[in-house]
Amino acid sequence: MDSRSRRGEDVLPLLGGDSSDVGTRLRAELHVRRTVTVLTVHGEIDAYTRDRWRHILDSAMRTAEKYGRLVVDVGDAEFIGCQPVLDLARSAQQGVSRGVEITVIDPQPSVLDRIVTITGLTEWLPVYTDPAQMLSEEPTRPRTCAPAKPTVRTPRAS
């Protein structure tokens, strides 16, 4: 895969059997910087585009293995469903065994940040609103086991 890309050029091809509509609804760019791989996502990440989303994450993870850090920028995503957020968290957990730390840039806090917080996955999948802050921090060593319990209590019905 050629990791160099220009703005607007989707460098991750469609999977065999995918309709061109899937490629129109979900696009991604992969950029390799000095010490980090940046995945920029555009469009809708939902049940319809989920197979492509997983393919994009897998491709980005393979590229990031060389550098140890993958930043997923969802600032240009128009929609992200709950299951794709959990796919991202699963990739972050798998990244531990592959030596890759995954972080997310979400300039406008959204459902992604809420799901990560409620499920107690903030140690696995840090979400930043400011790319400069994320890049200024030293990468942390990913955890070696799953969080024991959610960090936010869920309200119970009375």
Side-chain angles (χ1 to χ4, degrees):
M1 170 191 335
D2 183 5
S3 58
R4 294 165 291 155
S5 70
R6 292 175 291 223
R7 184 94 176 126
E9 179 183 343
D10 191 349
V11 297
L12 300 166
L14 290 173
L15 291 172
D18 278 347
S19 70
S20 61
D21 184 44
V22 170
T24 302
R25 288 179 62 176
L26 178 58
R27 298 167 317 284
E29 300 166 12
L30 198 55
H31 304 273
V32 176
R33 304 289 187 236
R34 290 182 209 187
T35 60
V36 66
T37 301
V38 180
L39 173 66
T40 305
V41 183
H42 308 272
E44 301 170 13
I45 312 167
D46 55 17
Y48 184 72
T49 60
R50 188 167 177 220
D51 287 341
R52 178 161 171 72
W53 171 241
R54 288 177 170 172
H55 173 68
I56 287 169
L57 287 175
D58 289 345
S59 296
M61 183 76 81
R62 280 192 302 276
T63 301
E65 286 176 354
K66 298 173 189 169
Y67 305 97
R69 196 166 190 193
L70 173 63
V71 175
V72 180
D73 182 349
V74 297
D76 289 338
E78 297 166 16
F79 176 83
I80 184 165
C82 293
Q83 192 59 52
V85 172
L86 296 177
D87 291 337
L88 184 56
R90 189 173 302 113
S91 291
Q93 290 174 340
Q94 292 169 351
V96 171
S97 64
R98 297 166 79 171
V100 176
E101 177 188 14
I102 296 180
T103 55
V104 177
I105 300 294
D106 190 4
Q108 306 227 326
S110 66
V111 69
L112 186 147
D113 188 40
R114 287 192 298 271
I115 292 170
V116 168
T117 301
I118 289 169
T119 57
L121 295 170
T122 53
E123 291 182 52
W124 282 95
L125 190 61
V127 179
Y128 294 88
T129 56
D130 180 18
Q133 176 194 7
M134 185 274 310
L135 290 172
S136 69
E137 291 182 8
E138 285 295 315
T140 58
R141 292 195 57 71
R143 294 174 55 107
T144 56
C145 61
K149 60 184 177 179
T151 56
V152 176
R153 291 181 179 232
T154 310
R156 295 180 188 223
S158 333

